[in-house]
Amino acid sequence: MKVQRRLSPAVAAPAVALLSWSTRAGAELLSGRPEDVSLDGHLGDRLFDLTTVMVGGLFLLMVTVLLVVAIFHRDRPGRAAWYFHGRGKRSLLVTAAFCGTVFLSVDGTLLVNSFEDLNEHFWKWPTDARTVKVEVAAQQWGWNFRYAGPDGKFNTDDDILTFNEMTVPVDTPVFVKLKSKDVIHSFYLPNFRIKQDAIPNALTQMWFQAKKTGDFEIGCAQHCGVNHYKMRGLLHVVSPRDFTDWQKVETADSSRRYDTADTTAHWGWDWES
Amino acid sequence: MNESHGLAHDEHDPIHPAPTGFLRKYVFSEDHKVIAKQFIWLGLSFLLVGGTMAMMIRWQLANPGVPFPLIGRVVFSKSGGLISPAAYTSLFTMHGTIMIFWAITPIMIGGFGNFCIPLLIGARDMVFPKLNMFSFWMMFLATVILVVSFFVPMGAGAAGWTAYPTISTQMGTPGWGQTLWVVAIYFAGGSSIMGAVNYITTVIVLRAPGMGYFKMPLTVWGLWLTAILNALFIPVLAAGMLLLFLDRTFGTHFFVNGMAIKGGGDPILYQHLFWIFGHPEVYILILPVWGVVSDLTSFFARKPAFGYRVTALAMVAVCVLSAVVYGHHMYATGMSPLLGQGFMVLTMIISVPATVLFFNWLATLWRGKLQLKVPMLFTLGVVFVFGLGGLTGLYLADIPQDLYLHDTYFVVGHFHLTMAAAVFLGSFASIYFWFPKMFGRQMNPLLGKLHFVFSFIPLNLVFCGMLEVGFGGMQRRLYDPNVYGTFKHLLPVNRFISYSAFTLFFGQLFFVVNFFHSVFAGKRAEQNPWGVGTLEWANTTSPPPHHNYDVVPQVVNGPHEFNHPDVKDKDWLGQAEPLPDGADEKAASE
């Protein structure tokens, strides 16, 4: 029977369609991350991509070996299996060399990069005088925000208090300290690649800096009850001038609402505590 | 069969006499083979329950707000078949709990631990047969409590399978359901400890003469190490559960505190207790499968296992390290930077023994003579999915990446690939492999292969899909992710995962049909259908008699002697089978 050498259009057309579809689908999947609008978010993304290249290589190696043995080392008449226990010095050396190389190159690369990212960025708490400080009290199911107000002190009558909406200036460090009123929540900013648990009896902290104005979502990442999925807040990133204006309006508003007797509303704490 | 006389046992004495009545034979049995089957039945039943719950979760994520078809109107009768947010929280809580403690644990540890340990080391039963029976019946008690918890007012536990306080205290999940959950876990843990004590001791004192530790099949190594981890770490879980129980029922405040709640406790203390147990737990679940994979790669490649001792020692290394990496579950709790970095380094070190295992498995397969029979297909499947699962762990071990990925579906995809997919395929590899020895009948290989295809492909689609939505940032345990604009575009991926999951679920029908048909009407199995040299295949019948071995075998070889140059008539050599006269004894020991 004659082998058909040229691809018929009946085969080629669906093949091309499939290829272009899978390319588009692949590109879609790779772009699945939310937009990164933070100063340091690219660090995690970069490490993610680097990890993907490294573990992708290892995975391909493993799959290649599996395919080779499953296809070429199958039980066929005349095929002999190698009688080999791999327990000599040489086998041990090869194993150690392979595993050592993988560890030092893959894990080593990750560790070195991560230490730097953590100590120089994620855990290097902002000292900039412009830093906006925010206290967050999480509760079932929403976020309470507290800004110090003109006196720079927390838990005083000029504090700005908001619920589920947080406003911060662009290109300015934002330092957040968190507590929880009831159960454990987790303050999650997908567009900033960062999250931090809010815990009932402990003070936790995180910081971020936006490099773009706009509205972004705040999520809760820790199961906190039936309405966990509804615990969505909004982060408004505005220009520094808009932020100053917003502060003025909010201060006036919050001061007007201030009630000495309403002790539950005075949940703030001394920033340095 | 080997005629040399065993020394560890009285020659014709079983550990306990064969029972005669129905109750003592099949219900309150002390025979490890019967108890193994009891555990496997329990595990498979709850695999179905947990799997059905997974389908409900996937249904909600694919079609939010659409009533669950078929059984929905019965299960969610109050809401007309609709899965409510409260029911959803119970579903993911009980799905995790059931799959871990009522499916994997009974099948791999209770079932195959019981079946394999005495048989593979040449013992006539466990060293404490009565304790073994109690272990099953304590698990049964735990099961009753768990089942009851579904029918109490306010429903079953709903604090997630990790039950972090304060959501797991009365203020977060009021009612009896969560309390019964705590009690059920406590008793299931008790059952595991009883089993563990038995397994550890049996391996130490009842190995057949000549069966040194480094002559045991790697399956026994895996099960033995699992038992050791169980004995060490379940008590830590039990402590956490006890304190949580006191907090829930007696108003103590071990874990209760908060801005709006009175109490002097510490919710994070619970997380330490839970993960000191919880991280070893993932190795408790996977070690038996690692053992089985290490053996079956050799058995079906007809080639000695590469680096047998190194494989065993790598598993030991994993056990030791498993105790000091648990902090990576708590990166987001704001632990001190020093502690966080320490746990990050330790976690990455565990990749060394894991790499060794993969290297040895692949080296075992290399230049073998692969028989792609059903157990082998599932074994290769384990290597593939555990490879994916292990490698994705690297992202999560790394704190800068975990800040983003923590508590997203990336984590869900990762631990399902390691714990669920790998253990699922490994359990079925074990079932297909030891079925002839258990029931004396063969399973149908064609149905087995179909079962493999309909398990392996959907499993990967489901859990890789989860990695993808996690990469997109979607959190776990969201009743309806579309509340967030950021995740709306992931709905098609979520649908794709769900439809793959439904395929996986219904693909199990191939197994159900095959299993029941083969138990009652399968072809009679030979003594050694796979041509393997371990004691249970080479030295006793299928199924074995009540006392396992008429004569306790004298072990002379390792478990993986295939294609030995001095053995001419067959390609395997029994563990208790001396080499033919004149053969070079050194060849086998080199």
Side-chain angles (χ1 to χ4, degrees), chain A residues 83 87 114 182 188 195 217, chain B residues 166 398 404 486 561 590:
Chain A
Y83 183 70
R87 59 185 163 208
S114 305
D182 35 48
Y188 173 39
K195 67 173 64 71
E217 285 181 313
Chain B
T166 43
D398 188 49
Y404 173 58
T486 316
E561 287 301 321
E590 203 117 273

Side-chain angles (χ1 to χ4, degrees), chain B residues 64-391:
Chain B
V66 180
F68 190 75
L70 306 173
I71 55 169
R73 286 193 172 278
V74 182
V75 182
F76 310 105
S77 50
K78 279 181 202 151
S79 51
L82 206 74
I83 302 171
S84 67
Y88 186 81
T89 53
S90 274
L91 278 176
F92 66 67
T93 300
M94 300 314 282
H95 164 74
T97 306
I98 284 176
M99 286 306 206
I100 289 167
F101 295 104
W102 271 268
I104 301 175
T105 306
I107 294 176
M108 276 323 289
I109 306 173
F112 285 100
N114 254 309
F115 188 76
C116 290
I117 289 176
L119 275 172
L120 270 61
I121 62 173
R124 285 188 165 147
D125 205 316
M126 288 286 176
V127 68
F128 307 124
K130 257 206 181 65
L131 185 67
N132 208 10
M133 179 182 81
F134 288 142
S135 163
F136 177 77
W137 287 104
M138 177 162 277
M139 188 65 194
F140 189 82
L141 175 66
T143 309
V144 171
I145 297 169
L146 184 87
V147 171
V148 168
S149 81
F150 282 96
F151 300 100
V152 296
M154 302 178 83
W161 87 273
T162 50
Y164 283 177
T166 43
I167 187 75
S168 59
T169 61
Q170 288 288 359
M171 60 149 297
T173 41
W176 275 100
Q178 186 71 32
T179 308
L180 290 175
W181 181 94
V182 174
V183 179
I185 295 286
Y186 194 80
F187 283 114
S191 157
S192 282
I193 294 172
M194 288 184 184
V197 169
N198 221 342
Y199 296 1
I200 296 169
T201 322
T202 302
V203 169
I204 292 174
V205 304
L206 283 189
R207 278 168 295 125
M211 176 71 86
Y213 286 104
F214 284 113
K215 280 210 168 67
M216 299 194 302
L218 288 161
T219 302
V220 178
W221 267 99
L223 289 164
W224 190 46
L225 292 170
T226 278
I228 292 173
L229 288 181
N230 257 336
L232 287 174
F233 294 109
I234 297 248
V236 185
L237 172 75
M241 288 302 139
L242 186 64
L243 299 184
L244 187 57
F245 179 79
L246 293 174
D247 273 9
R248 288 188 63 83
T249 48
F250 291 99
T252 55
H253 288 159
F254 289 105
F255 305 130
V256 180
N257 205 341
M259 295 168 78
I261 26 175
K262 280 191 200 135
D266 181 5
I268 298 299
L269 171 65
Y270 174 89
Q271 293 193 22
H272 285 285
L273 290 172
F274 187 84
W275 289 115
I276 286 174
F277 150 79
H279 200 76
E281 170 71 4
V282 306
Y283 295 103
I284 287 169
L285 300 175
I286 195 68
L287 272 162
V289 173
W290 282 355
V292 170
V293 167
S294 307
D295 277 340
L296 263 56
T297 43
S298 158
F299 293 169
F300 290 96
R302 315 305 294 171
K303 192 173 160 265
F306 180 93
Y308 166 92
R309 270 172 198 251
V310 177
T311 305
L313 293 174
M315 291 201 275
V316 175
V318 167
C319 290
V320 174
L321 285 169
S322 77
V324 291
V325 300
Y326 76 89
H328 62 231
H329 295 269
M330 298 166 62
Y331 284 155
T333 57
M335 56 168 58
S336 94
L338 182 68
L339 209 54
Q341 289 172 347
F343 276 123
M344 178 164 73
V345 175
L346 286 165
T347 302
M348 292 215 184
I349 289 175
I350 218 163
S351 73
V352 177
T355 317
V356 171
L357 287 173
F358 275 94
F359 185 85
N360 285 1
W361 293 337
L362 295 178
T364 302
L365 296 171
W366 193 252
R367 285 180 62 188
K369 194 176 163 188
L370 264 70
Q371 302 174 330
L372 297 182
K373 295 178 180 169
V374 179
M376 181 59 155
L377 290 174
F378 278 91
T379 302
L380 295 177
V382 174
V383 176
F384 185 92
V385 294
F386 196 79
L388 263 179
L391 290 170

Side-chain angles (χ1 to χ4, degrees), chain A residues 80-176:
Chain A
W82 187 20
Y83 183 70
F84 184 64
H85 290 88
R87 59 185 163 208
K89 242 183 205 149
R90 237 184 75 190
S91 302
L92 197 62
L93 270 177
V94 173
T95 313
F98 177 80
C99 299
T101 312
V102 168
F103 178 73
L104 290 179
S105 52
V106 177
D107 299 71
T109 309
L110 274 184
L111 283 175
V112 170
N113 278 284
S114 305
F115 279 131
E116 190 182 320
D117 290 353
L118 290 173
N119 294 324
E120 298 304 318
H121 300 274
F122 296 110
W123 289 342
K124 194 173 187 183
W125 309 111
T127 48
D128 192 322
R130 297 175 305 139
T131 303
V132 175
K133 295 173 181 163
V134 186
E135 290 185 351
V136 180
Q139 71 175 77
Q140 285 178 323
W141 289 275
W143 306 96
N144 299 282
F145 299 100
R146 179 182 292 270
Y147 299 71
D151 68 353
K153 284 200 181 101
F154 281 91
N155 219 18
T156 53
D157 55 358
D158 67 343
D159 284 2
I160 299 172
L161 283 158
T162 63
F163 185 67
N164 271 348
E165 293 197 42
M166 183 181 184
T167 305
V168 298
V170 72
D171 294 326
T172 315
V174 180
F175 198 171
V176 179

